[in-house]
Amino acid sequence: VAKREGGGRARLFRREMAEELLARQRDKRDLRAAIGTEQLVLHYQPIVDLTSSAVSGAEALVRWQRPGRGLLPPQEFIGLAEETGLIVPLGAQVLTAACAQAVRWRGEGRSLDVTVNVSTRQLSAPGFLPSLGRALEATALPPDGLTIEVTESVWADEAAMRALMAVRETGVRVALDDFGTGYSSLSYLHRYPFDVVKIDKSFTRALGDTGRTAGVVRCIIDLAEVLGAVTVAEGIETREQADWLRRAGCGYAQGFLFGRPEPAKGWDSLPSRN
Ligand code: C2E
Ligand code: MG
Ligand code: MG
Ligand code: MG
């Protein structure tokens, strides 16, 4: 009896594996088909200058309007896109769309810096620089209107690091996202220039907990200043967090307190600097 049950379990396991594999193939096929279409949509979250309270920029965050499945958050498909290499055409589409939106805002007299997430895998692909150049050229966005965001995983990838330094030469700004959650190394930070350091929301969330967190965040802000970078704190949900960060010298902030990511349409009534 035990043996028969064991065999049943093994069969069930094999079936689950097969189903997972099929689902993955389906996801991959659907994602490939979605790229280049309006199924990929960008939402924009305001980045606020903590001193003046003005909206200074917007982070573009991709979503997948997948037929029959609703609006999927990036966690549900960016991983797959990275593993399959689809992040390259997906990322190119996002870059062009975000640059185009920045130009549209400029046309309305609002100078909003637009920030775009770029995966390490995307950055290390040979065509990244040309595709960035094409996005800027096609939209006529000046390079200093764009910031690209990378995570600390770039440091483990030589080709990505080389591309990143070349990006910076063009005048496009570079932000280090989720700072403090990955492979932070003072030696890398010291050696490679970044324009923006984004303080991860796990720090923001823990600010009220202990004096320890507050101390660490103060150090990050001071360190960024020494290195000539501005700081953006992520995940601000309360007025207390915003006030504390402003007093600690953090330049910018982003979070539900100021606005959730939403389609550019929702920005029409939002005030901004200028
Ligand atoms: P991220 O770059 O760290 O972006 C910030 C994430 O925090 C966003 O999640 C945003 O909606 C969320 N967030 C903002 N304010 C708050 C807040 O006050 N509280 C909380 N709890 N969350 C807040 P989202 O849009 O789901 O994006 C998740 C991640 O997906 C991003 O993290 C980014 O790493 C990645 N991602 C998004 N768009 C792209 C893209 O176009 N390309 C690539 N490669 N990755 C992307
Ligand atoms: Mg980001
Ligand atoms: Mg990011
Ligand atoms: Mg982040």
Side-chain angles (χ1 to χ4, degrees):
V1 175
K3 198 175 166 202
R4 212 158 46 216
E5 264 181 16
R9 265 202 299 277
R11 244 192 324 277
L12 189 67
F13 183 64
R14 274 201 303 276
R15 219 180 90 190
E16 277 171 3
M17 294 269 288
E19 273 166 11
E20 243 168 65
L21 205 68
L22 272 175
R24 192 185 146 86
Q25 281 166 350
R26 201 160 43 232
D27 290 349
K28 185 175 161 186
R29 187 197 58 211
D30 289 356
L31 183 58
R32 175 176 290 125
I35 295 170
T37 76
E38 291 182 352
Q39 283 184 35
L40 293 183
V41 293
L42 289 182
H43 285 189
Y44 295 88
Q45 185 177 35
I47 300 175
V48 170
D49 181 332
L50 280 173
T51 320
S52 66
S53 297
V55 177
S56 62
E59 177 174 1
L61 295 154
V62 70
R63 278 94 180 84
W64 179 11
Q65 184 67 62
R66 189 174 182 185
R69 303 276 186 97
L71 193 64
L72 303 186
Q75 285 91 329
E76 292 195 29
F77 60 92
I78 290 294
L80 179 68
E82 289 174 343
E83 288 157 30
T84 55
L86 287 172
I87 193 68
V88 171
L90 184 156
Q93 180 182 356
V94 167
L95 263 173
T96 306
C99 292
Q101 183 56 51
V103 168
R104 233 170 275 135
W105 277 324
R106 285 172 175 234
E108 296 164 5
R110 321 163 85 187
S111 90
L112 293 163
D113 297 319
V114 77
T115 295
V116 176
N117 288 278
V118 174
S119 296
T120 297
R121 170 80 197 265
Q122 187 186 347
L123 203 55
S124 63
F128 181 74
L129 272 172
S131 95
L132 177 66
R134 278 195 301 275
L136 291 170
E137 222 167 276
T139 59
L141 180 69
D144 66 358
L146 175 69
T147 300
I148 67 165
E149 264 188 26
V150 300
T151 59
E152 291 154 304
S153 67
V154 288
W155 282 329
D157 188 320
E158 232 178 276
M161 265 330 280
R162 265 199 309 275
L164 200 59
M165 293 307 119
V167 164
R168 235 177 139 258
E169 298 283 299
T170 68
V172 169
R173 275 192 285 270
V174 176
L176 193 54
D177 198 10
D178 307 334
F179 182 75
T181 60
Y183 309 88
S184 316
S185 152
L186 289 180
S187 117
Y188 283 119
L189 207 58
H190 175 232
R191 217 154 7 129
Y192 300 107
F194 283 89
D195 303 284
V196 183
V197 169
K198 297 192 82 167
I199 303 169
D200 189 65
K201 53 177 169 277
S202 57
F203 292 104
T204 306
R205 199 173 298 139
L207 262 184
D209 296 356
T210 61
R212 240 172 117 86
T213 306
V216 169
V217 171
R218 253 193 216 102
C219 283
I220 298 176
I221 294 167
D222 289 348
L223 179 64
E225 194 184 340
V226 168
L227 298 171
V230 302
T231 36
V232 180
E234 294 188 293
I236 313 302
E237 295 183 356
T238 69
R239 184 39 65 193
E240 289 70 37
Q241 291 167 342
D243 288 341
W244 189 91
L245 285 156
R246 182 178 39 76
R247 282 197 305 270
C250 180
Y252 299 85
Q254 200 179 334
F256 296 164
L257 175 69
F258 305 109
R260 294 187 177 250
E262 52 174 319
K265 258 212 302 300
W267 278 63
D268 289 350
S269 55
L270 213 72
S272 69
R273 88 173 168 206
N274 244 27

